[in-house]
Amino acid sequence: MKHWAVKKCALALMCVVPAAVAIPPEHKISELPELEQEAQHDTASERIASYFTRYHFSSLTLNNELSEQIHERYFDLLDYSKMFLLKEDIEAAQEYRHLFDDMLKRGELDVAYDIYQKSLERRFQRYEYALSILDEDKPMDFSVEGDKYYYDREDAEWAESKEELNDLWQSRVKYDALNLKLAGKEWPEIVETLGKRYNSALNRLTKSKSEDVFQTVMNAFARSVEPHTSYLSPSNSERFQQNMNLELEGIGAVLQSEYDYTIIRSLVPGGPADKTDELSPEDKIIAVGQGSGEDEEEFVDIIGMRLDDVVELIKGPKGTTVRLQVLKASQGAGGTPSEVEIVRDKVKLEDRAAKAEVKEFEEGPYKGRRLGVIEIPGFYNNLTADVKKLIEDLESQKVEGLVIDLRGNGGGALTEAIGLTGLFIDKGPVVQVSDGRGRVDVSEDKDGKTYYDGPLFVMVDRYSASASEIFAAAMQDYERALIIGENTFGKGTVQQHRGLARRFDFYDKPLGSVQYTIAKFYRIDGGSTQLRGVQPDVVFPSFVEASDWGESKEDNALPWDKIDKASYSPVGEINSAEVKDLQQQLNQRIEDDPEFSYIFEEIERYREEKDKTWVSLVLTEREKKQEQQKAKQLERVNERLKRAGKEPIENVEDAPEEFTEVDPFLDQAALVAFDFIDKNQLASN
């Protein structure tokens, strides 16, 4: 059996660096630590295997089939882009593909540690090579026609030789350099910045820890089980508790490490990052700086940095400033980094509170008519009581109907989803929960009182998930509200969080915790919200198809299924023919709405580029694209100003906020609402 442990003397033959090194490496490959499994890891592994197999909703078996999946995902986590390991490395590990199940059960992870050690060595070699091709006296040529960097190599073959990897890294370094060039840096500064970046990567590799290996292999296991199942290292477990208690002072963003990048997975509604209106889910943070003005410090490049270390840079005392360099997801891989300044604060519950406004049209067929809008960013504790007060306030302002805006609402407390539903029905079932063993619990509203019985509309989008889907589905099944927007996310699963420590453990280090799926949500009509989400009655144009977004795109997502219908009766009547008419009216309006012409243009651009796997390395092409985007933004702002009878501007930064921050979806939803109200009034007369 070929063993994975590689002697340093053998590695020296494989790590050939060109004679003339412009940026010398600050570390040697001999400084890499020899990582070994720690005493607590065998116990932790056994307990994790028990939780994931005995208590998970799927009741799965840890066998050779699952072992193959874990083996494959382990390599995905180590080298998703296929930029570090060689084909020979993958082939040498094939004999272990049926051993991961046995290793996890026994807690004996030597093979996983050997594979990780090889990955460290390969990574070290690649960053050494990256440094070797940086030369302050030889600027890179960004005018080579047809030059591209293939950033998405998920489906690519593994490189067969070091020379093939060298070619890939020539493009990778050139891509990094061009991004800095587009950010305004000159070549000497680019060389200095990349030199620091790649040497920092070497430094981080020399500080690798045993917990890094354990976390990687356990999450390969977890993701092979199901998308919402995970292992949390001791530091991540502590952060989880801080977030649950809302005690973390920082920017209010959930971060995730994804193939050398730190990705914003979600923003805490009302948190400091959310309030900037400059950050979005899927944005990549590439550098972090401290302070502003006279106290401003240099940015620290964080590409390839361990997530724990990134979090330490970003969080900090309330009132202090952190600056982020961000690659916007909306601009694609070819975007130029932007700088976002955030004042840290405690993420308080009250910042996430629901808020209300009165929507009144100043012109058109519904001029002077008023509609109440309640925006709910998350299902926090006491939400139902807050919304009850907002309803009373809106009713006092003589609104004709009510919109519950759940766009971007990722969920929260199930009890609040049930309570919110109860404001709009007398009593009855709201959601069903099944544990996968045939046991079904029906959660109900039991107060026998309706707090609002007027026309009701619920807005959702593809980011509306979990508790949002439970509320929207209940309103739809009861025919109590008209659902407007995009197909929702499709997360219909229930997770449980458990610490791995036991009372009589005597380990020097903590064991961390796990989160795993224990149940699924079902609508009262019997269908699951899992995978399919909630399909709106009236549908807005969307950037993505329902099948291309959300839970349905996750590996190993639990399937949609159905259980028996709960005992309930509709409290309203949503006529299908009437809904069809509303959709046709909406479609006609948005065809003539200039704001939706912009949206259709963005949808077309997104769909043209969504399957693109490369970005141009030609400076003029990238600059042209940037200028086109800026010009398009300015053109649209000036068109809005013209429609309002105002003078044009030369810079977008000079535009009033109401001409840059527009919400045509809410405008059209309000028109749909009045269409619905008037149709039903005519019918009742």
Side-chain angles (χ1 to χ4, degrees):
M1 180 180 286
K2 183 177 179 180
H3 199 270
W4 266 78
V6 180
K7 301 293 185 182
K8 294 294 186 238
C9 58
L11 282 168
L13 299 174
M14 301 165 59
C15 185
V16 179
V17 179
V21 180
I23 304 292
E26 295 175 359
H27 296 274
K28 298 178 181 178
I29 199 167
S30 59
E31 296 176 46
L32 288 176
E34 291 282 357
L35 299 175
E36 296 179 349
Q37 185 174 335
E38 296 180 352
Q40 75 276 13
H41 287 152
D42 56 349
T43 299
S45 178
E46 292 170 10
R47 290 176 185 173
I48 291 168
S50 177
Y51 273 122
F52 289 177
T53 55
R54 294 175 60 188
Y55 304 117
H56 193 277
F57 179 88
S58 300
S59 300
L60 52 84
T61 302
L62 191 50
N63 54 19
N64 282 349
E65 182 181 356
L66 185 57
S67 179
E68 287 185 7
Q69 294 183 48
I70 298 167
H71 175 270
E72 182 178 347
R73 278 180 177 76
Y74 190 45
F75 279 96
D76 280 345
L77 291 173
L78 292 176
D79 188 7
Y80 182 79
S81 61
K82 299 183 176 69
M83 294 285 286
F84 298 98
L85 295 170
L86 290 167
K87 184 178 180 180
E88 65 186 58
D89 302 325
I90 307 305
E91 290 175 344
Q94 284 302 303
E95 61 184 302
Y96 303 123
R97 67 187 186 278
H98 290 158
L99 292 183
F100 274 78
D101 55 334
D102 300 318
M103 291 191 299
L104 290 163
K105 289 175 191 172
R106 295 195 301 264
E108 298 173 359
L109 306 173
D110 290 352
V111 168
Y113 274 76
D114 288 344
I115 293 172
Y116 195 95
Q117 193 77 38
K118 167 66 75 173
S119 173
L120 283 184
E121 293 157 355
R122 293 297 196 205
R123 281 180 172 267
F124 197 99
Q125 294 164 10
R126 288 298 98 211
Y127 285 115
E128 272 190 323
Y129 179 76
L131 287 166
S132 76
I133 59 178
L134 289 172
D135 190 334
E136 188 172 324
D137 296 326
K138 295 179 180 178
M140 290 182 174
D141 183 1
F142 299 118
S143 64
V144 181
E145 187 176 350
D147 204 3
K148 301 174 182 178
Y149 168 59
Y150 287 85
Y151 55 85
D152 183 351
R153 288 179 37 79
E154 179 184 3
D155 298 323
E157 298 293 327
W158 293 96
E160 296 197 12
S161 66
K162 187 187 65 169
E163 289 71 28
E164 191 176 338
L165 281 180
N166 287 351
D167 290 340
L168 294 173
W169 274 82
Q170 288 274 359
S171 295
R172 162 70 186 271
V173 175
K174 195 171 185 178
Y175 168 74
D176 290 343
L178 181 53
N179 277 339
L180 294 174
K181 178 78 172 175
L182 288 165
K185 295 184 184 293
E186 296 299 325
W187 182 249
E189 193 176 4
I190 290 172
V191 171
E192 180 183 6
T193 300
L194 292 183
K196 289 179 180 178
R197 176 183 300 181
Y198 301 148
N199 267 313
S200 293
L202 293 179
N203 182 53
R204 289 192 293 273
L205 292 173
T206 65
K207 290 179 168 53
S208 298
K209 303 173 183 177
S210 176
E211 183 62 42
D212 297 335
V213 190
F214 189 75
Q215 179 170 301
T216 304
V217 71
M218 288 304 149
N219 275 319
F221 179 16
R223 291 297 183 269
S224 299
V225 174
E226 186 258 345
H228 303 289
T229 295
S230 59
Y231 163 72
L232 284 74
S233 67
S235 57
N236 286 335
S237 185
E238 180 183 358
R239 196 174 303 122
F240 176 87
Q241 294 299 335
Q242 288 176 325
N243 283 324
M244 289 297 289
N245 296 326
L246 295 174
E247 293 177 349
L248 185 62
E249 290 184 351
I251 66 171
V254 178
L255 306 179
Q256 182 175 329
S257 181
E258 190 173 282
Y259 319 122
D260 283 343
Y261 283 103
T262 297
I263 309 290
I264 296 176
R265 188 55 60 215
S266 62
L267 298 172
V268 177
D274 184 39
K275 289 177 179 178
T276 67
D277 290 326
E278 297 181 63
L279 296 171
S280 304
E282 307 304 321
D283 288 352
K284 297 177 180 178
I285 303 173
I286 61 172
V288 179
Q290 309 297 332
S292 63
E294 295 181 359
D295 298 326
E296 187 172 295
E297 298 178 13
E298 285 291 319
F299 276 101
V300 176
D301 198 292
I302 64 166
I303 295 176
M305 186 179 289
R306 184 187 293 113
L307 184 61
D308 290 349
D309 296 331
V310 174
V311 171
E312 287 303 312
L313 285 174
I314 291 176
K315 73 179 186 180
K318 174 181 176 179
T320 58
T321 299
V322 62
R323 303 181 336 275
L324 309 179
Q325 279 187 357
V326 178
L327 286 173
K328 298 292 294 178
S330 59
Q331 295 180 351
T336 301
S338 57
E339 185 174 324
V340 180
E341 188 172 292
I342 305 172
V343 178
R344 298 178 177 103
D345 199 355
K346 220 166 212 183
V347 183
K348 306 183 190 72
L349 191 59
E350 53 265 33
D351 291 333
R352 302 169 59 187
K355 52 183 177 289
E357 67 168 315
V358 174
K359 180 76 174 173
E360 183 174 347
F361 286 99
E362 298 179 358
E363 56 185 27
Y366 298 127
K367 180 179 179 180
R369 296 179 65 175
R370 301 157 69 83
L371 192 70
V373 180
I374 297 178
E375 180 185 349
I376 301 177
F379 283 78
Y380 56 88
N381 292 331
N382 211 44
L383 167 68
T384 304
D386 286 352
V387 172
K388 195 185 303 182
K389 293 176 183 176
L390 294 175
I391 291 172
E392 293 172 359
D393 181 54
L394 289 169
E395 285 190 306
S396 71
Q397 299 183 61
K398 308 300 182 184
V399 297
E400 297 183 51
L402 192 63
V403 174
I404 303 296
D405 188 352
L406 299 179
R407 289 176 296 168
N409 185 320
L414 174 62
T415 53
E416 294 297 338
I418 296 166
L420 187 66
T421 302
L423 297 181
F424 307 106
I425 62 172
D426 285 345
K427 62 180 179 179
V430 175
V431 64
Q432 304 185 87
V433 182
S434 173
D435 65 1
R437 294 171 177 81
R439 293 175 293 191
V440 178
D441 176 67
V442 181
S443 298
E444 302 183 33
D445 169 55
K446 300 178 180 179
D447 66 1
K449 183 177 180 181
T450 299
Y451 291 87
Y452 176 78
D453 59 5
L456 185 65
F457 310 89
V458 178
M459 285 191 74
V460 293
D461 66 7
R462 63 186 185 274
Y463 297 104
S464 304
S466 196
S468 291
E469 296 174 289
I470 290 169
F471 172 75
M475 292 295 93
Q476 192 173 55
D477 290 343
Y478 276 111
E479 298 186 38
R480 176 64 187 89
L482 190 72
I483 314 300
I484 306 172
E486 296 176 278
N487 204 98
T488 61
F489 190 88
K491 182 184 181 295
T493 56
V494 186
Q495 280 70 49
Q496 187 168 62
H497 182 262
R498 284 283 182 265
L500 294 173
R502 299 290 182 269
R503 184 176 179 183
F504 296 108
D505 286 342
F506 295 103
Y507 297 109
D508 294 333
K509 297 181 179 180
L511 301 184
S513 61
V514 288
Q515 182 170 285
Y516 53 95
T517 296
I518 58 169
K520 285 172 72 174
F521 291 124
Y522 294 85
R523 303 170 65 136
I524 54 177
D525 75 353
S528 176
T529 55
Q530 171 65 10
L531 222 59
R532 295 186 183 180
V534 177
Q535 170 69 34
D537 301 305
V538 178
V539 182
F540 277 133
S542 179
F543 284 80
V544 294
E545 300 295 331
S547 59
D548 291 335
W549 173 257
E551 190 80 1
S552 60
K553 293 299 290 181
E554 298 281 0
D555 289 337
N556 298 315
L558 294 181
W560 180 90
D561 60 348
K562 194 170 185 176
I563 60 174
D564 291 339
K565 175 182 176 180
S567 178
Y568 76 99
S569 298
V571 298
E573 184 178 352
I574 304 294
N575 183 281
S576 59
E578 182 181 339
V579 169
K580 186 177 180 180
D581 288 342
L582 292 171
Q583 184 73 61
Q584 289 176 343
Q585 288 177 269
L586 170 66
N587 293 345
Q588 289 170 1
R589 276 198 305 268
I590 63 179
E591 285 293 330
D592 300 324
D593 186 338
E595 292 298 334
F596 272 85
S597 70
Y598 306 153
I599 291 168
F600 286 130
E601 287 176 9
E602 292 304 313
I603 289 174
E604 183 179 357
R605 184 179 69 86
Y606 170 81
R607 291 180 177 172
E608 285 176 352
E609 298 189 359
K610 71 183 183 72
D611 296 323
K612 194 175 175 182
T613 59
W614 56 269
V615 61
S616 172
L617 293 177
V618 180
L619 177 61
T620 54
E621 290 180 9
R622 295 279 292 278
E623 286 178 331
K624 181 181 179 181
K625 186 174 181 179
Q626 282 186 6
E627 290 305 315
Q628 287 175 337
Q629 290 172 341
K630 290 178 182 177
K632 180 64 72 176
Q633 186 180 11
L634 180 61
E635 178 186 357
R636 290 173 181 176
V637 169
N638 277 328
E639 286 176 355
R640 290 176 186 138
L641 289 166
K642 183 179 179 180
R643 291 194 293 270
K646 298 182 180 296
E647 292 296 315
I649 57 174
E650 294 184 3
N651 295 301
V652 172
E653 292 75 16
D654 298 330
E657 186 176 319
E658 63 266 29
F659 292 95
T660 57
E661 301 296 327
V662 297
D663 190 352
F665 292 99
L666 180 58
D667 292 341
Q668 287 293 341
L671 291 171
V672 170
F674 282 123
D675 287 345
F676 179 86
I677 291 168
D678 287 357
K679 283 179 182 292
N680 281 273
Q681 285 178 345
L682 284 171
S684 62
N685 291 334

